[in-house]
Short mmCIF file of all heavy atoms in Angstrom, two decimals:
data_model
loop_
_atom_site.label_atom_id
_atom_site.label_comp_id
_atom_site.label_asym_id
_atom_site.label_seq_id
_atom_site.Cartn_x
_atom_site.Cartn_y
_atom_site.Cartn_z
N VAL A 303 143.28 90.87 124.73
CA VAL A 303 143.81 91.39 126.02
C VAL A 303 142.52 91.78 126.84
O VAL A 303 141.77 92.64 126.44
CB VAL A 303 144.70 92.61 125.86
CG1 VAL A 303 145.08 93.20 127.20
CG2 VAL A 303 145.93 92.26 125.07
N GLN A 304 142.29 91.04 127.92
CA GLN A 304 141.14 91.35 128.78
C GLN A 304 141.61 92.38 129.82
O GLN A 304 142.33 92.04 130.76
CB GLN A 304 140.60 90.09 129.42
CG GLN A 304 140.06 89.07 128.43
CD GLN A 304 139.59 87.81 129.08
OE1 GLN A 304 140.35 87.14 129.77
NE2 GLN A 304 138.33 87.47 128.84
N LEU A 305 141.21 93.62 129.58
CA LEU A 305 141.62 94.72 130.45
C LEU A 305 140.66 94.75 131.65
O LEU A 305 139.45 94.99 131.47
CB LEU A 305 141.60 96.02 129.67
CG LEU A 305 142.21 97.23 130.37
CD1 LEU A 305 143.70 97.01 130.56
CD2 LEU A 305 141.99 98.48 129.50
N ARG A 306 141.17 94.50 132.85
CA ARG A 306 140.34 94.46 134.04
C ARG A 306 140.71 95.59 135.00
O ARG A 306 141.88 95.80 135.28
CB ARG A 306 140.52 93.12 134.78
CG ARG A 306 139.65 93.01 136.01
CD ARG A 306 139.78 91.61 136.64
NE ARG A 306 139.24 90.59 135.78
CZ ARG A 306 139.14 89.30 136.11
NH1 ARG A 306 139.58 88.90 137.31
NH2 ARG A 306 138.66 88.41 135.26
N VAL A 307 139.68 96.36 135.38
CA VAL A 307 139.89 97.52 136.24
C VAL A 307 139.03 97.32 137.50
O VAL A 307 137.85 97.07 137.46
CB VAL A 307 139.47 98.84 135.56
CG1 VAL A 307 139.66 100.00 136.49
CG2 VAL A 307 140.26 99.00 134.25
N THR A 308 139.70 97.46 138.68
CA THR A 308 138.98 97.51 139.94
C THR A 308 138.92 98.98 140.37
O THR A 308 139.95 99.61 140.61
CB THR A 308 139.70 96.70 141.02
OG1 THR A 308 139.87 95.34 140.57
CG2 THR A 308 138.94 96.70 142.31
N ARG A 309 137.71 99.52 140.42
CA ARG A 309 137.53 100.95 140.68
C ARG A 309 137.79 101.27 142.15
O ARG A 309 137.94 100.36 143.00
CB ARG A 309 136.09 101.37 140.30
CG ARG A 309 135.72 101.05 138.86
CD ARG A 309 134.43 101.72 138.45
NE ARG A 309 133.37 101.64 139.43
CZ ARG A 309 132.11 102.01 139.20
NH1 ARG A 309 131.77 102.47 138.02
NH2 ARG A 309 131.22 101.94 140.14
N ASP A 310 137.80 102.55 142.46
CA ASP A 310 138.02 103.00 143.82
C ASP A 310 136.94 102.50 144.77
O ASP A 310 137.20 102.31 145.97
CB ASP A 310 138.08 104.53 143.91
CG ASP A 310 139.30 105.06 143.21
OD1 ASP A 310 140.34 104.42 143.24
OD2 ASP A 310 139.21 106.16 142.60
N ASP A 311 135.72 102.24 144.26
CA ASP A 311 134.63 101.73 145.12
C ASP A 311 134.61 100.20 145.20
O ASP A 311 133.69 99.62 145.75
CB ASP A 311 133.28 102.23 144.62
CG ASP A 311 132.97 101.83 143.18
OD1 ASP A 311 133.77 101.11 142.57
OD2 ASP A 311 131.92 102.22 142.68
N GLY A 312 135.63 99.53 144.61
CA GLY A 312 135.71 98.08 144.66
C GLY A 312 135.02 97.37 143.52
O GLY A 312 135.12 96.15 143.42
N VAL A 313 134.26 98.10 142.71
CA VAL A 313 133.54 97.48 141.59
C VAL A 313 134.56 97.08 140.50
O VAL A 313 135.51 97.79 140.19
CB VAL A 313 132.53 98.48 141.00
CG1 VAL A 313 131.97 97.95 139.69
CG2 VAL A 313 131.38 98.67 142.02
N ILE A 314 134.36 95.89 139.95
CA ILE A 314 135.26 95.35 138.94
C ILE A 314 134.55 95.40 137.57
O ILE A 314 133.41 95.01 137.41
CB ILE A 314 135.65 93.89 139.24
CG1 ILE A 314 136.40 93.83 140.58
CG2 ILE A 314 136.48 93.31 138.12
CD1 ILE A 314 136.69 92.40 141.01
N ARG A 315 135.29 95.94 136.60
CA ARG A 315 134.82 95.96 135.23
C ARG A 315 135.91 95.41 134.31
O ARG A 315 137.10 95.56 134.54
CB ARG A 315 134.49 97.39 134.76
CG ARG A 315 133.37 98.05 135.57
CD ARG A 315 132.02 97.64 135.06
NE ARG A 315 130.99 98.45 135.70
CZ ARG A 315 130.40 98.12 136.84
NH1 ARG A 315 130.75 97.02 137.52
NH2 ARG A 315 129.45 98.91 137.38
N GLN A 316 135.50 94.80 133.20
CA GLN A 316 136.47 94.21 132.26
C GLN A 316 135.98 94.49 130.86
O GLN A 316 134.78 94.63 130.57
CB GLN A 316 136.55 92.70 132.52
CG GLN A 316 137.59 91.96 131.69
CD GLN A 316 137.82 90.59 132.25
OE1 GLN A 316 138.30 90.39 133.39
NE2 GLN A 316 137.53 89.55 131.45
N ILE A 317 136.94 94.57 129.93
CA ILE A 317 136.60 94.75 128.51
C ILE A 317 137.65 94.01 127.69
O ILE A 317 138.82 93.93 128.05
CB ILE A 317 136.57 96.25 128.13
CG1 ILE A 317 135.85 96.46 126.79
CG2 ILE A 317 137.93 96.88 128.14
CD1 ILE A 317 135.46 97.91 126.55
N ASP A 318 137.20 93.37 126.59
CA ASP A 318 138.08 92.60 125.72
C ASP A 318 138.53 93.46 124.59
O ASP A 318 137.71 94.05 123.84
CB ASP A 318 137.35 91.36 125.22
CG ASP A 318 136.91 90.41 126.34
OD1 ASP A 318 137.36 90.63 127.50
OD2 ASP A 318 136.17 89.48 126.07
N CYS A 319 139.85 93.53 124.35
CA CYS A 319 140.36 94.42 123.32
C CYS A 319 141.62 93.88 122.69
O CYS A 319 142.21 92.85 123.18
CB CYS A 319 140.60 95.82 123.90
SG CYS A 319 141.40 95.85 125.50
N TYR A 320 142.06 94.52 121.65
CA TYR A 320 143.28 94.15 120.94
C TYR A 320 144.16 95.41 120.77
O TYR A 320 143.64 96.48 120.53
CB TYR A 320 142.98 93.54 119.57
CG TYR A 320 142.35 92.22 119.62
CD1 TYR A 320 140.95 92.07 119.62
CD2 TYR A 320 143.13 91.04 119.67
CE1 TYR A 320 140.37 90.80 119.67
CE2 TYR A 320 142.54 89.77 119.74
CZ TYR A 320 141.17 89.68 119.74
OH TYR A 320 140.59 88.42 119.80
N PRO A 321 145.46 95.25 120.84
CA PRO A 321 146.36 96.39 120.59
C PRO A 321 146.24 96.84 119.14
O PRO A 321 146.16 96.01 118.20
CB PRO A 321 147.77 95.84 120.91
CG PRO A 321 147.51 94.61 121.76
CD PRO A 321 146.21 94.04 121.28
N VAL A 322 146.25 98.12 118.92
CA VAL A 322 146.23 98.69 117.57
C VAL A 322 147.22 99.84 117.53
O VAL A 322 147.65 100.35 118.58
CB VAL A 322 144.83 99.19 117.16
CG1 VAL A 322 143.84 98.04 117.03
CG2 VAL A 322 144.30 100.22 118.14
N GLY A 323 147.54 100.26 116.33
CA GLY A 323 148.49 101.43 116.23
C GLY A 323 149.88 101.05 116.72
O GLY A 323 150.31 99.89 116.70
N LEU A 324 150.55 102.06 117.24
CA LEU A 324 151.94 101.92 117.64
C LEU A 324 152.05 101.85 119.15
O LEU A 324 151.62 102.74 119.85
CB LEU A 324 152.76 103.10 117.11
CG LEU A 324 154.27 103.14 117.49
CD1 LEU A 324 154.98 101.94 116.82
CD2 LEU A 324 154.86 104.45 117.07
N THR A 325 152.61 100.72 119.65
CA THR A 325 152.97 100.65 121.06
C THR A 325 154.48 100.84 121.13
O THR A 325 155.25 99.93 120.79
CB THR A 325 152.57 99.28 121.65
OG1 THR A 325 151.17 99.11 121.55
CG2 THR A 325 152.96 99.18 123.12
N ASP A 326 154.88 102.01 121.55
CA ASP A 326 156.29 102.37 121.41
C ASP A 326 156.89 102.72 122.81
O ASP A 326 156.18 103.14 123.75
CB ASP A 326 156.40 103.59 120.49
CG ASP A 326 157.82 103.79 119.97
OD1 ASP A 326 158.66 102.83 120.14
OD2 ASP A 326 158.14 104.85 119.41
N TYR A 327 158.18 102.52 122.93
CA TYR A 327 158.92 102.95 124.08
C TYR A 327 160.24 103.55 123.58
O TYR A 327 161.31 102.92 123.65
CB TYR A 327 159.16 101.82 125.10
CG TYR A 327 159.11 100.42 124.52
CD1 TYR A 327 160.24 99.89 123.92
CD2 TYR A 327 157.97 99.68 124.57
CE1 TYR A 327 160.22 98.60 123.39
CE2 TYR A 327 157.93 98.40 124.03
CZ TYR A 327 159.07 97.86 123.43
OH TYR A 327 159.03 96.61 122.92
N PRO A 328 160.15 104.77 123.02
CA PRO A 328 161.31 105.37 122.32
C PRO A 328 162.49 105.62 123.24
O PRO A 328 162.34 105.92 124.46
CB PRO A 328 160.71 106.67 121.77
CG PRO A 328 159.58 106.97 122.65
CD PRO A 328 159.00 105.68 123.06
N ASP A 329 163.67 105.50 122.67
CA ASP A 329 164.91 105.77 123.40
C ASP A 329 165.24 107.26 123.19
O ASP A 329 166.15 107.62 122.46
CB ASP A 329 166.04 104.87 122.91
CG ASP A 329 167.29 104.99 123.72
OD1 ASP A 329 167.25 105.67 124.78
OD2 ASP A 329 168.31 104.38 123.38
#
Side-chain angles (χ1 to χ4, degrees):
V303 175
Q304 296 177 304
L305 191 65
R306 181 176 295 184
V307 179
T308 304
R309 304 190 319 187
D310 294 325
D311 60 2
V313 169
I314 298 174
R315 298 279 189 271
Q316 186 166 296
I317 196 165
D318 298 350
C319 45
Y320 290 93
V322 294
L324 179 65
T325 299
D326 197 14
Y327 24 84
D329 189 5

